Amino acid sequence: MKPEKKILILEPDQHTAKRLHTVLQNEKFIVHLVERGSEAIRWVQQEHISVLILDTGIKDMMWYEVVPIVKGFNPGLPIIMTSVSNTPELQSKILNHKVFYYHVKSFGNDELLLAVKNAVERHSQQEKKSPEKEEKS
């Protein structure tokens, strides 16, 4: 049985969230939408997530507060950051958090979809290696 590939999207703009939800569902991903950082943190704690897509404009917390908390619960979880605008300062701050990919929304969904597919693949490869490491210990 193939493991489910769940994508968690934390996106404050409902139109963007629904559009991305549709794109990813068409690619056979299981997609969950949340609007708040606290909801995303709860999801990561309780569910097996393959990728977190996190927008910089979330409302209840700052994105740079959410990333380290999520990584604390699930260090191998690929995080894809999205933003409406880009500045050198924002890009530098995002990349310093060692996220999997940084996507500027004006680039369209093709690059984002490719990044999601790559992140899911990398995450599933890491999970396959994890039990082997535990057995060798």
Side-chain angles (χ1 to χ4, degrees):
M1 184 172 147
K2 276 182 156 177
E4 294 179 332
K5 294 177 176 137
K6 291 183 185 175
I7 312 300
L8 180 61
I9 301 172
L10 175 47
E11 168 61 58
D13 178 63
Q14 288 304 300
H15 178 73
T16 300
K18 289 177 183 174
R19 188 176 60 231
L20 188 53
H21 183 275
T22 300
V23 167
L24 293 171
Q25 262 193 330
N26 288 343
E27 295 292 326
K28 309 297 185 222
F29 293 113
I30 297 167
V31 183
H32 299 280
L33 301 174
V34 294
E35 295 180 31
R36 304 175 64 77
S38 55
E39 292 174 285
I41 291 166
R42 223 175 356 266
W43 265 92
V44 171
Q45 286 178 300
Q46 297 172 355
E47 297 286 330
H48 179 270
I49 305 297
S50 300
V51 176
L52 170 62
I53 300 174
L54 171 62
D55 187 77
T56 58
I58 61 174
K59 296 174 182 160
D60 67 324
M61 298 173 73
M62 300 303 289
W63 66 266
Y64 51 82
E65 296 170 321
V66 174
V67 171
I69 294 170
V70 165
K71 286 185 173 200
F73 290 115
N74 189 340
L77 178 66
I79 299 174
I80 296 175
M81 294 297 307
T82 63
S83 181
V84 171
S85 60
N86 186 32
T87 64
E89 295 82 17
L90 177 61
Q91 184 173 354
S92 175
K93 194 169 190 176
I94 288 171
L95 296 177
N96 282 334
H97 277 84
K98 299 187 181 6
V99 298
F100 182 81
Y101 182 71
Y102 171 46
H103 178 75
V104 179
K105 292 178 180 178
S106 61
F107 294 163
N109 284 335
D110 290 343
E111 280 187 27
L112 182 58
L113 181 57
L114 182 59
V116 169
K117 289 178 179 180
N118 288 337
V120 166
E121 181 63 27
R122 182 177 293 174
H123 190 248
S124 67
Q125 287 174 355
Q126 286 175 343
E127 287 183 330
K128 286 177 187 174
K129 291 177 182 178
S130 290
E132 293 172 6
K133 288 180 183 175
E134 289 173 13
E135 289 174 6
K136 291 178 182 178
S137 300

